[in-house]
Amino acid sequence: MAADVHSKGVTWDTPNGNLAPVEHLPSSRSESPTPGLVEGTEPGGGEWVEEEVEEKEVEEKEVVEKTEEQQRGRAEGEGSVNEPKREVQAVVREKEEDVTSDAWRLHKKHVFVFSEAGKPIYTRYGSEEALSTTMGVMMALVSFVEADKNVILSIHADGFRVVFLRKSPLVLVCVSRSDQSDSELWRELHYVYYQILSLLTLPQLQRVFQQRQSFDLRRLLAGSERVTAGLLRLLETDAGLMLNATMSLPLCSTTRNNVCTSLQIASSKNLVFSILLAGNRLVALIRKKEQHLHHTDLHLLSNLAASSSSFRQGEGWTPVCLPKFNSSGFFHAHISYLEQDSDLCLILVSTDREDFFNLSDCKQRFLERLKKRNAYQALQEALHSPTYPVSQVGIPELWHFVYKSKSSGLYTSPELPVPYHTEEQQDRLMELYQHLHSRLHHPTRPLRSIYRSTNTENLLAWSTSGFELYLCFSPLATKALAMSAVTKLLKWIRKEEDRLFILNSLTY
Amino acid sequence: MTSRGNARTSGNLPQTKICQFKLVLLGDMAVGKSSLVLRFVKGQFDEFQETTIGAAFLAQSVCLDDTTVKFEIWDTAGQERYHSLAPMYYRGAQAAIVVFDITKPETFERAKAWVKELQRQASPNIVIALAGNKSDLADKRLVEYEEAQTYAEDTGLLFMETSAKTAMNVNELFLAIAKKMPKTDTQNPTHAARHRGVNLQDPDAQSTRSCCGN
């Protein structure tokens, strides 16, 4: 059994991921990654680099064996959970799981969060109480390595990866049987960490543990289980969280302009961001001058909005911390659907906690203007086809692709074709993409392109300063064909750019 | 004991006197605040009602003789981390429903604490109703009707046992509150809307207190 502590830090934050201004995307989609985050308020980015880690063998075999034994298992068989109600029940079921059962051990990816005192805070499956010993052992491992002024990053053993993320006062651990690399798993743990911050803020989190080391953080996180569960599922299904990008809803440019200007005009003094979403697709984003929304914060907001039906029943009003923007303060978000049965969710983010009625008014003005200009109808129609078939590109061997425009932080992807109609197959394709992604972004040996041939598909990934592209071909395709397909696809994307992306970044 | 009382809940009401009131729901998590509101506003019930995040704002009117009483309802989340935001919602409220779950005594204790806080800090004329929810689970009852009744009498609260699931006493509760409201409010709802009682000037509201009271 090999257990090793990796010597290299990992940055999963690329500086170009934020939804920053794109004044002239079409012409200059190379070279210039958009400026970094606002006012140096980025808390998490690049911290791994700063940590001094020496290479070291961990002689904790006994403990490692024990933890590993607890995770040993085979394929996961989760039911599909698309409908919100079923998700609620699924979360309830997951929380009630018996942690000594085989089913529990069979899960593909576990996530644990605990305090430095070893007190359980979160587990993806089963109840925290039942796992206090397991988490205690994990904390012991962390402390043991730290006692030597070192940091434990990951343990690889018997097909498992146990990845540790230390974010004082919390420790996050992922136990995975998937093919994902350590850095992919760290990225996911970061998301879970930011999710916690988005509910509490960092100073709040630090304060409760300063006051009492043995504080039970579950008290303050109560009711957020579904938000976290939704996020973990999103990490497995939405390529955007891997790419540091958001998917935009394809929309004809006239409608998009109408929507954007209507949203821009419906402003209010303390508004910082106005975000219109259709599911997890971005329809429009208006921001305050000089302020940029980081894709991580956008994913957290969109996941939050999707996590409770209460936003459909009435207008929601909640404090929310956008940790990449500023981890130490709360914004206040007005979250509501344009109409009760509509998929269009409007999130208005304000700095003022007493701003509810102003924002509610903004929403009304936005909706009225949309309807007056007939944009609402056009938008509803666009929602009927939120995606497009890959056949539009006109390359028969091309099954699927993911294209990220680095300057806009947006990505586009066609609907999944026949071989990927089951959830299992979709997850498998995502894993293939994730694997290619981790090869392109390897911390020590990054690649510019990679071609991979398997029995079931041929894949190509290519990263330039302007875009990142992942293609999935039928197994009969050749490398030469793949190369010519790229040219054709890029031409097609250029032609469809208006529809696929949001080309201008508007401010109030 | 039937579902819909004589409170007519609808949009198109004849031109009568319109009174608008701010009502806040408080109580421990998972006692059924959102379910009560949803039953009252939309006549719906969902066994798997999802946790409220922050607070939800809904409106519903009831007809009372010649008056239309419009409730602007703040359905707050019961989680501890939102506790410090509660004053923002009950400040200026003319009515409050404090909800507990009759199968969970600790939620009754929490309800008492809310009542105390309201009596100390909310506006002095606030009408407070205590709702013992989930009365359909009478076989699992752990808070006796008489106990809550006595407490409500001693503290001067309206009290009803309700069930959002069966709709028992839900409209009745809101109607009872409507009856207790002073009917002197402005005819002009838009004007009233600007003074819904979220007190923008209150210095406390502007304080830097964060979301979780410690």
Side-chain angles (χ1 to χ4, degrees):
Chain A
M1 167 189 338
D4 68 81
V5 177
H6 290 242
S7 59
K8 268 293 169 181
V10 172
T11 41
W12 62 278
D13 281 306
T14 57
N16 53 32
N18 53 337
L19 296 162
V22 263
E23 264 79 42
H24 38 261
L25 167 79
S27 51
S28 74
R29 73 137 61 98
S30 57
E31 302 320 321
S32 56
T34 47
L37 280 171
V38 224
E39 315 300 335
T41 49
E42 185 176 6
E47 273 170 28
W48 279 97
V49 194
E50 291 155 28
E51 277 164 24
E52 280 178 36
V53 188
E54 286 165 36
E55 206 154 343
K56 186 183 181 231
E57 285 289 311
V58 182
E59 295 163 48
E60 277 290 285
K61 290 200 177 148
E62 216 176 302
V63 189
V64 173
E65 263 164 349
K66 200 169 165 189
T67 342
E68 180 210 334
E69 201 180 296
Q70 286 169 350
Q71 325 300 350
R72 202 189 297 270
R74 305 231 84 196
E76 175 185 28
E78 242 185 300
S80 95
V81 280
N82 285 328
E83 218 186 313
K85 290 301 137 190
R86 287 171 65 201
E87 266 172 31
V88 181
Q89 293 167 53
V91 172
V92 172
R93 258 200 323 272
E94 282 170 2
K95 289 316 244 185
E96 284 170 357
E97 259 187 48
D98 177 5
V99 300
T100 57
S101 71
D102 280 342
W104 186 85
R105 292 171 193 215
L106 290 176
H107 288 299
K108 202 163 192 171
K109 198 184 286 168
H110 282 271
V111 173
F112 307 97
V113 184
F114 44 90
S115 69
E116 284 165 338
K119 207 156 189 156
I121 293 168
Y122 176 79
T123 170
R124 186 177 189 183
Y125 304 106
S127 78
E128 287 82 13
E129 289 92 347
L131 290 164
S132 53
T133 326
T134 309
M135 297 201 214
V137 170
M138 291 176 179
M139 190 59 224
L141 270 172
V142 171
S143 311
F144 177 81
V145 178
E146 283 182 3
D148 267 351
K149 304 237 179 308
N150 220 315
V151 176
I152 185 163
L153 294 180
S154 71
I155 301 170
H156 299 180
D158 203 21
F160 287 92
R161 277 166 196 267
V162 184
V163 168
F164 296 81
L165 175 62
R166 191 78 158 77
K167 286 280 183 186
S168 184
L170 305 181
V171 182
L172 300 95
V173 178
C174 177
V175 179
S176 164
R177 286 190 302 107
S178 74
D179 283 339
Q180 284 175 284
S181 65
D182 287 2
S183 46
E184 299 283 324
L185 298 171
W186 274 314
R187 181 174 50 77
E188 299 191 355
L189 287 179
H190 268 97
Y191 259 103
V192 175
Y193 173 68
Y194 289 134
Q195 169 57 45
I196 292 171
L197 289 190
S198 79
L199 296 169
L200 302 175
T201 73
L202 183 58
Q204 171 90 14
L205 180 67
Q206 287 168 335
R207 193 164 61 242
V208 291
F209 284 107
Q210 269 159 18
Q211 281 165 359
R212 217 176 64 217
Q213 233 197 332
S214 63
F215 185 81
D216 184 356
L217 196 66
R218 284 180 304 160
R219 265 174 56 192
L220 292 183
L221 296 178
S224 69
E225 297 82 1
R226 207 174 47 255
V227 186
T228 315
L231 181 71
L232 289 170
R233 188 61 199 140
L234 210 58
L235 282 161
E236 290 166 352
T237 53
D238 187 341
L241 286 84
M242 162 184 93
L243 294 169
N244 298 337
T246 305
M247 194 194 277
S248 47
L249 179 81
L251 205 58
C252 80
S253 55
T254 330
T255 311
R256 176 107 58 203
N257 285 342
N258 268 334
V259 173
C260 287
T261 43
S262 304
L263 193 55
Q264 187 183 30
I265 287 167
S267 68
S268 165
K269 195 179 73 177
N270 299 312
L271 254 185
V272 187
F273 301 113
S274 302
I275 305 154
L276 185 65
L277 293 167
N280 56 359
R281 289 156 207 268
L282 187 67
V283 184
L285 168 69
I286 316 291
R287 54 191 180 82
K288 207 183 182 94
K289 277 194 189 71
E290 314 287 317
Q291 311 297 337
H292 302 300
L293 181 61
H294 193 278
H295 63 87
T296 300
D297 291 339
L298 180 55
H299 284 302
L300 291 175
L301 274 174
S302 126
N303 179 55
L304 179 75
S307 299
S308 175
S309 60
S310 71
F311 301 121
R312 275 187 188 280
Q313 291 151 4
E315 295 170 65
W317 182 236
T318 182
V320 62
C321 165
L322 300 180
K324 295 298 252 176
F325 187 95
N326 178 358
S327 65
S328 56
F330 277 116
F331 281 110
H332 298 271
H334 180 283
I335 305 176
S336 66
Y337 284 80
L338 291 191
E339 277 172 357
Q340 200 186 348
D341 297 320
S342 162
D343 276 337
L344 292 163
C345 180
L346 181 66
I347 305 177
L348 301 169
V349 181
S350 164
T351 50
D352 182 1
R353 74 186 209 170
E354 309 275 0
D355 225 10
F356 176 84
F357 290 107
N358 288 334
L359 300 190
S360 182
D361 198 40
C362 288
K363 178 198 168 182
Q364 283 315 317
R365 280 189 283 137
F366 169 60
L367 194 56
E368 278 161 26
R369 202 180 154 90
L370 266 191
K371 287 184 171 170
K372 215 164 69 193
R373 297 172 136 214
N374 298 323
Y376 189 69
Q377 197 53 39
L379 198 49
Q380 287 291 357
E381 274 160 27
L383 285 183
H384 293 314
S385 50
T387 176
Y388 49 92
V390 70
S391 58
Q392 279 189 9
V393 185
I395 305 167
E397 294 80 3
L398 181 63
W399 278 357
H400 190 253
F401 69 88
V402 178
Y403 173 94
K404 174 193 170 184
S405 141
K406 285 191 177 175
S407 54
S408 66
L410 294 170
Y411 81 97
T412 186
S413 193
E415 64 197 19
L416 288 154
V418 177
Y420 307 104
H421 272 184
T422 66
E423 195 176 347
E424 203 185 352
Q425 289 300 316
Q426 288 168 11
D427 287 357
R428 195 177 62 81
L429 181 62
M430 260 303 280
E431 277 183 35
L432 288 170
Y433 285 153
Q434 279 171 339
H435 177 74
L436 296 177
H437 180 267
S438 63
R439 294 292 299 274
L440 289 186
H441 297 273
H442 194 278
T444 49
R445 295 183 306 280
L447 299 174
R448 287 188 59 189
S449 66
I450 177 170
Y451 184 80
R452 189 180 173 198
S453 221
T454 74
N455 288 338
T456 42
E457 53 265 293
N458 289 348
L459 299 134
L460 174 66
W462 187 25
S463 176
T464 71
S465 56
F467 64 83
E468 207 167 304
L469 181 60
Y470 298 83
L471 303 119
C472 168
F473 294 95
S474 97
L476 300 175
T478 61
K479 203 167 175 179
L481 185 140
M483 293 319 287
S484 66
V486 169
T487 321
K488 196 167 176 186
L489 176 65
L490 289 177
K491 216 176 256 172
W492 183 81
I493 288 172
R494 181 64 58 96
K495 190 167 69 87
E496 298 287 325
E497 203 158 49
D498 277 4
R499 187 170 67 93
L500 300 178
F501 294 103
I502 305 171
L503 296 180
N504 22 3
S505 155
L506 295 177
T507 56
Y508 299 113
Chain B
M1 292 280 284
T2 50
S3 53
R4 301 217 156 232
N6 52 356
R8 271 206 324 173
T9 58
S10 83
N12 287 336
L13 296 156
Q15 271 303 315
T16 48
K17 196 160 94 177
I18 299 171
C19 300
Q20 189 158 288
F21 298 110
K22 177 182 174 183
L23 181 148
V24 61
L25 276 100
L26 298 165
D28 211 345
M29 51 192 244
V31 295
K33 297 178 291 300
S34 299
S35 293
L36 282 174
V37 174
L38 213 60
R39 172 60 80 185
F40 172 60
V41 174
K42 307 206 166 155
Q44 298 167 350
F45 177 77
D46 184 346
E47 190 80 44
F48 295 96
Q49 175 67 32
E50 296 172 6
T51 324
T52 306
I53 292 167
F57 178 81
L58 298 95
Q60 177 64 300
S61 304
V62 293
C63 240
L64 202 67
D65 306 324
D66 62 335
T67 317
T68 301
V69 175
K70 186 180 179 200
F71 283 116
E72 300 208 305
I73 304 165
W74 278 107
D75 170 23
T76 65
Q79 281 76 24
E80 186 179 335
R81 67 176 174 278
Y82 299 119
H83 186 170
S84 68
L85 288 174
M88 185 166 88
Y89 299 110
Y90 63 65
R91 201 175 290 130
Q94 286 96 340
I97 302 179
V98 179
V99 187
F100 69 93
D101 173 351
I102 63 158
T103 68
K104 295 205 174 93
E106 67 277 14
T107 66
F108 182 49
E109 293 310 312
R110 191 75 197 85
K112 288 181 186 170
W114 277 119
V115 170
K116 227 181 236 168
E117 181 169 337
L118 284 172
Q119 289 179 331
R120 211 173 48 234
Q121 297 190 48
S123 71
N125 303 324
I126 191 169
V127 173
I128 305 174
L130 182 69
N133 195 33
K134 307 197 186 178
S135 65
D136 52 290
L137 301 178
D139 53 330
K140 291 181 190 158
R141 173 193 290 281
L142 288 171
V143 181
E144 288 309 318
Y145 180 88
E146 291 71 22
E147 187 188 353
Q149 168 84 4
T150 313
Y151 165 75
E153 272 170 20
D154 293 349
T155 359
L157 317 174
L158 276 169
F159 172 65
M160 279 189 200
E161 283 199 349
T162 55
S163 165
K165 188 172 182 172
T166 67
M168 187 193 100
N169 274 347
V170 176
N171 285 353
E172 288 77 356
L173 178 70
F174 282 88
L175 204 63
I177 295 168
K179 281 181 182 155
K180 283 193 85 173
M181 302 264 85
K183 307 295 184 307
T184 51
D185 251 50
T186 150
Q187 178 86 36
N188 179 350
T190 46
H191 175 75
R194 297 276 149 233
H195 297 87
R196 274 177 246 225
V198 178
N199 190 343
L200 301 174
Q201 306 312 324
D202 195 298
D204 282 357
Q206 302 294 342
S207 76
T208 51
R209 272 207 314 172
S210 56
C211 197
C212 312
N214 292 295

